[in-house]
Amino acid sequence: MTESDPVSRARSAEAWKRHIVGQLKHRDRSQHDRYQELIRFYTRLLEKTRLTKGILSSSPRRPSVGSLLQHNDQLKKITGELAYQVLELQQQTRTRESLLEEQQYRLEAEKLRLAGAFDYRGVLQQQVEQVQLENAALKTKYDELLELQRREEAKLREEKLRGDRLLETMIQEKQQAAAHMNSRNQRRSRAREAHLQKELQSTRSKVTLESSRSMSPKRDLQLESREGGHSRLFRSLSVSSPRILSSFRDLFHRRRRGHSVCSMEEDLVFPVRVSLYARVPVRALQVLEAHEQGINAVRFSSSSHLLATGGTDREVKVWEVQSGSLTHRTTLEGSTGGITCIEFDPAGFRILAASYDKSALLWRLDDSVAKLTLTGHRRKVTAARFSGCLHQVVTGSEDRSIRVWDLQRAACVEVLEVSSSCSDLVCSENSVISGHFDSRIRVWDTRLLRCVQELPAQGKVTSLDISSDHRHLLSCCRDDCLQLVDLRGRSNERVCFRAEGFKCGSDSSKAVISPDGCFLAAGSADAAVYIWNVSTGKLETRLPDRHSSSISAVAWSLSGEYVVSVDKSRRAVLWSDI
C-alpha cells in the first residue's frame, strides 16, 4: 500500500455519504408523492364536515326529521365514497411499498456490486502501478541498450574506416609490388634476350666457320648463287645447332619453374569446337533442382562437354553433359557471396566467377578450393571474363570501374574508371566492350587504355554477348528488347528484336547468340525461353511450361546441340531438338 491510500479512502467515504443522503432524499420525495393524494382527499373530507356543522349551527330553526334523515343519507354516501377511496389508496400504498422494498433490495445488491467494483478498481490500480514501475525499468534498460548500440555503431564505423584504409594501403602495396615485379621482369627479359642474342651470334660464327671448312669452294659458290646468305645460315642452323636448341629448352624450363599461377597445359591453345549449324531446341530433355537457392549464371565449356552454374548459395557447380542429361561432377567453393557471372577459360581447365563479395575467383577443375581470389573492387563484381591475352582477365563492377588483372602476379595492372555501374562485359582482340546502367555500351582499347566509342542502348543494359567470329554484339536491355550490333563498320548498324510476352526479368538477365550466329536466345519473366531468327528478325520459337519463376540466364553449347536455361527458383532445364 502507498501513502496515498488514506486520502483515497477518505475521499471514497465522503462520496459514499453523499450517495446515501441523496438516496434518502429521493425516497422521501417518492413517499411524499404517494401520500399526497390521500392527504388531499382527507382534507376535502374535513372541509365537508366543517361545512355540514356550519350549516347545522347556522340554521335559525330546528331542522325537521326528514331533512335530517336526508342529510344523514348524504353524509353516509359521502363517507362511503371516501372510505372506498381510502381503501383504494391503502391498496396503492401497499403496492408501492412492496415495489419500494424490491427497489431497496435491488439497491442493496447494487451497493454490494459497487463495493466489489471498488475493490476490483483498487486491484487494477495496484496492477497499473506495478506495470508502470516495470515499464520504467524497461525504459531505463532500453535507454542503456540504445546507448550501447550507438557506441557499437560508432566502433563499427571506425572499424569500417580502418578496414577501408587498410584495404587501400594493401592495394597500394600490391600495385607497388606489381610495378616492382614488372620492372624486375622487364630487366630479366632484357638480360635474357641479350644473353640469347649473344649466344646466337657466337653460334652463328661457329656454324659459319664449320660450314665453310666442310664445304668445297665449288659447293659454296653453288649455294651462294642459288640462295641468299640468310637462307644458307638458317639451313645450317636447322641441321646442326645444339647450343641454340638447349638455350630455348632452358628458357622453357625456367618458365615452368616460375611462380606463375598458370601451368604449361593452360598456356596451350586448344581448338574450339564451334558448330556451323545450331539446332533450335524444341523440348526439354531434363529438369533438375541444381542449387539450394536461385541460379544467376550458366556457361558451357569450349568442348561443350561441361556446364557450370552459379547461384546465390555461393557455390559453383560443374556438370557433365552426356547423352542428353546433366550429371553433377564437382562443386567449387570459396566465395562468401552469391555468384553473378561464370566463364571457362579457352582450354577448359579453369573457371572464372564474379561474386557479390566484391571479388572474382579462379578455380582449377581438379580442385574445389579457389586457386586465386582477385580483390580490389569496392562493390559487387557483376562480370568477369578471360581477355585475349592468355594470363589476363577483366572484371566489371557496380563501383563504376573496370579492372584488368594479371593472373601470373595475381595483381591488378589497369583500372578504367566509368561514369556508370557496369552490368556485363565481353572481350575481343585488343578491346573490351562493357554494358552499363546508363543505357550506354562502351568500347575500350586495351592498348590505349581509354574508351574509343560509345554506343547507345534502348535501356539499362543487363547483359552482353559476342558472336564466335567477333563480328556481332548482342545486348539485352530492361526495355524488353534485344539489340544486335554489327561491329565491322563505323556505322555500327543495329537491329532490335522484340516479342509479345517477352519481358526482361531483372537487371542481370543474360541473353546469348547461337554458335553459328543465326539465332538469339533469352529468358523472360514469364518463365519461358524466347528464340529469335537473326535473318528474318522474327520469333522462331517459345519454350514454356518448364520453369516456375523468372529465367535469369541462358547458355548455348558451342557444338550447337543444347541450350540450358536457369531461373530464380534454383531450377535448370536442358533443351534440345532431339
Side-chain angles (χ1 to χ4, degrees):
M1 302 299 288
T2 59
E3 295 179 357
S4 61
D5 289 339
V7 178
S8 62
R9 282 200 293 269
R11 290 179 180 176
S12 63
E14 291 177 0
W16 178 251
K17 289 178 182 179
R18 287 195 298 270
H19 179 70
I20 293 175
V21 171
Q23 291 293 327
L24 291 174
K25 288 181 179 181
H26 177 69
R27 193 175 90 178
D28 183 56
R29 285 194 300 269
S30 61
Q31 291 180 357
H32 181 271
D33 292 339
R34 292 173 185 172
Y35 292 98
Q36 189 69 28
E37 188 175 359
L38 181 60
I39 293 171
R40 187 169 60 255
F41 280 106
Y42 183 72
T43 303
R44 287 171 60 187
L45 180 60
L46 290 177
E47 288 178 355
K48 289 180 179 180
T49 304
R50 291 192 193 99
L51 180 60
T52 303
K53 287 180 180 182
I55 292 172
L56 291 176
S57 62
S58 62
S59 176
R61 57 182 179 165
R62 192 181 182 116
S64 62
V65 177
S67 61
L68 288 175
L69 292 173
Q70 185 179 2
H71 183 68
N72 287 333
D73 292 337
Q74 291 178 355
L75 289 175
K76 288 179 180 180
K77 185 178 181 180
I78 293 171
T79 304
E81 292 177 357
L82 291 175
Y84 180 74
Q85 292 179 359
V86 169
L87 292 175
E88 287 182 351
L89 292 173
Q90 287 177 353
Q91 183 66 27
Q92 292 179 3
T93 301
R94 286 193 295 270
T95 303
R96 292 185 179 183
E97 284 178 352
S98 63
L99 181 62
L100 180 61
E101 290 177 357
E102 183 181 357
Q103 289 180 351
Q104 286 178 350
Y105 177 76
R106 291 174 60 185
L107 179 60
E108 293 296 333
E110 292 295 332
K111 288 179 181 177
L112 294 175
R113 183 180 174 187
L114 181 61
F118 274 111
D119 295 338
Y120 185 64
R121 177 174 173 269
V123 174
L124 291 179
Q125 285 181 345
Q126 293 179 359
Q127 292 179 358
V128 168
E129 292 174 357
Q130 184 178 0
V131 170
Q132 287 177 349
L133 293 175
E134 293 177 356
N135 288 341
L138 290 175
K139 181 65 167 56
T140 304
K141 188 175 181 181
Y142 171 76
D143 293 337
E144 294 176 355
L145 292 176
L146 186 61
E147 184 63 26
L148 179 61
Q149 180 188 5
R150 290 173 181 172
R151 291 197 298 268
E152 294 298 328
E153 287 179 350
K155 290 181 181 179
L156 179 61
R157 286 193 294 270
E158 292 177 358
E159 291 297 328
K160 284 184 177 180
L161 292 175
R162 181 170 172 270
D164 293 339
R165 289 194 295 269
L166 290 176
L167 182 61
E168 292 177 358
T169 303
M170 183 178 66
I171 292 174
Q172 291 177 359
E173 290 178 354
K174 282 190 175 183
Q175 290 177 350
Q176 293 175 0
H180 179 69
M181 183 70 69
N182 278 339
S183 60
R184 187 171 64 179
N185 289 340
Q186 289 177 358
R187 290 196 299 270
R188 289 180 178 178
S189 178
R190 287 195 294 267
R192 189 181 299 111
E193 290 177 359
H195 180 69
L196 289 176
Q197 188 70 22
K198 184 176 179 181
E199 288 186 353
L200 182 61
Q201 290 178 357
S202 62
T203 305
R204 278 180 182 176
S205 61
K206 289 183 179 182
V207 171
T208 304
L209 182 61
E210 291 176 359
S211 61
S212 62
R213 289 178 179 178
S214 60
M215 287 185 175
S216 61
K218 184 176 180 180
R219 179 64 177 170
D220 292 342
L221 290 174
Q222 290 177 354
L223 287 174
E224 289 177 359
S225 62
R226 191 182 307 168
E227 301 175 350
H230 293 291
S231 301
R232 174 184 169 188
L233 174 61
F234 280 105
R235 178 174 294 181
S236 301
L237 287 175
S238 65
V239 174
S240 59
S241 55
R243 293 186 62 181
I244 289 183
L245 293 177
S246 63
S247 299
F248 281 107
R249 189 180 300 110
D250 292 341
L251 175 63
F252 284 113
H253 285 324
R254 284 195 296 269
R255 183 174 182 179
R256 293 185 65 179
R257 292 194 300 268
H259 298 286
S260 170
V261 297
C262 306
S263 62
M264 287 298 295
E265 63 181 2
E266 295 168 354
D267 295 342
L268 300 177
V269 178
F270 288 83
V272 179
R273 201 178 71 178
V274 179
S275 173
L276 298 178
Y277 175 71
R279 293 176 287 185
V280 178
V282 294
R283 70 183 187 92
L285 299 181
Q286 186 179 5
V287 179
L288 72 159
E289 303 292 332
H291 286 254
E292 295 182 357
Q293 298 180 20
I295 309 175
N296 300 326
V298 60
R299 200 76 172 184
F300 277 98
S301 65
S302 57
S303 64
S304 301
H305 294 319
L306 295 178
L307 178 78
T309 57
T312 54
D313 57 357
R314 304 190 296 270
E315 291 182 349
V316 174
K317 292 189 177 182
V318 182
W319 311 81
E320 292 184 356
V321 185
Q322 295 179 351
S323 302
S325 65
L326 299 177
T327 305
H328 181 258
R329 174 174 174 175
T330 185
T331 299
L332 307 179
E333 301 175 346
S335 175
T336 59
I339 304 300
T340 59
C341 179
I342 295 178
E343 188 173 58
F344 283 90
D345 71 336
F349 294 116
R350 299 171 294 175
I351 291 181
L352 179 67
S355 173
Y356 275 86
D357 63 0
K358 309 175 187 178
S359 67
L361 298 94
L362 183 69
W363 289 274
R364 286 182 57 88
L365 288 179
D366 56 0
D367 190 357
S368 61
V369 180
K371 186 177 182 180
L372 189 63
T373 302
L374 306 176
T375 58
H377 284 288
R378 297 183 298 275
R379 297 184 66 181
K380 74 174 182 179
V381 182
T382 55
R385 306 290 185 189
F386 287 97
S387 69
C389 182
L390 287 176
H391 304 300
Q392 279 189 351
V393 298
V394 184
T395 58
S397 170
E398 284 190 353
D399 63 359
R400 300 183 180 182
S401 70
I402 298 173
R403 293 176 178 261
V404 182
W405 306 82
D406 189 337
L407 296 181
Q408 290 181 323
R409 293 176 292 170
C412 177
V413 294
E414 297 294 342
V415 179
L416 306 175
E417 299 292 340
V418 200
S419 60
S420 177
S421 299
C422 176
S423 58
D424 199 4
L425 57 85
V426 293
C427 297
S428 181
E429 186 178 0
N430 298 325
S431 65
V432 174
I433 306 174
S434 58
H436 299 270
F437 288 172
D438 62 352
S439 303
R440 290 287 186 274
I441 300 173
R442 292 172 172 85
V443 181
W444 305 82
D445 192 323
T446 55
R447 296 166 298 184
L448 303 177
L449 298 177
R450 64 182 180 88
C451 180
V452 295
Q453 190 177 10
E454 283 193 9
L455 305 175
Q458 300 294 327
K460 182 188 295 185
V461 180
T462 65
S463 71
L464 295 177
D465 192 26
I466 194 167
S467 61
S468 57
D469 57 4
H470 290 190
R471 294 182 178 181
H472 295 89
L473 175 71
L474 174 65
S475 65
C476 181
C477 302
R478 284 293 279 171
D479 68 336
D480 307 328
C481 173
L482 301 185
Q483 182 175 264
L484 192 64
V485 183
D486 192 343
L487 300 175
R488 288 173 293 183
R490 292 185 177 181
S491 61
N492 297 126
E493 181 181 353
R494 295 184 293 272
V495 181
C496 293
F497 296 84
R498 298 180 184 271
E500 182 179 357
F502 173 75
K503 185 175 181 60
C504 184
S506 67
D507 290 344
S508 59
S509 296
K510 293 177 172 57
V512 294
I513 307 176
S514 65
D516 58 358
C518 296
F519 301 97
L520 311 178
S524 173
D526 64 354
V529 178
Y530 289 74
I531 299 177
W532 288 267
N533 191 311
V534 174
S535 60
T536 62
K538 297 181 180 180
L539 186 68
E540 185 75 16
T541 185
R542 178 180 179 271
L543 307 175
D545 304 332
R546 291 298 179 177
H547 289 277
S548 58
S549 64
S550 175
I551 298 177
S552 54
V554 179
W556 206 314
S557 65
L558 294 182
S559 63
E561 297 178 77
Y562 303 109
V563 172
V564 172
S565 56
V566 295
D567 61 26
K568 296 295 184 180
S569 62
R570 67 190 182 185
R571 181 174 295 180
V573 180
L574 178 65
W575 306 86
S576 180
D577 66 335
I578 300 175

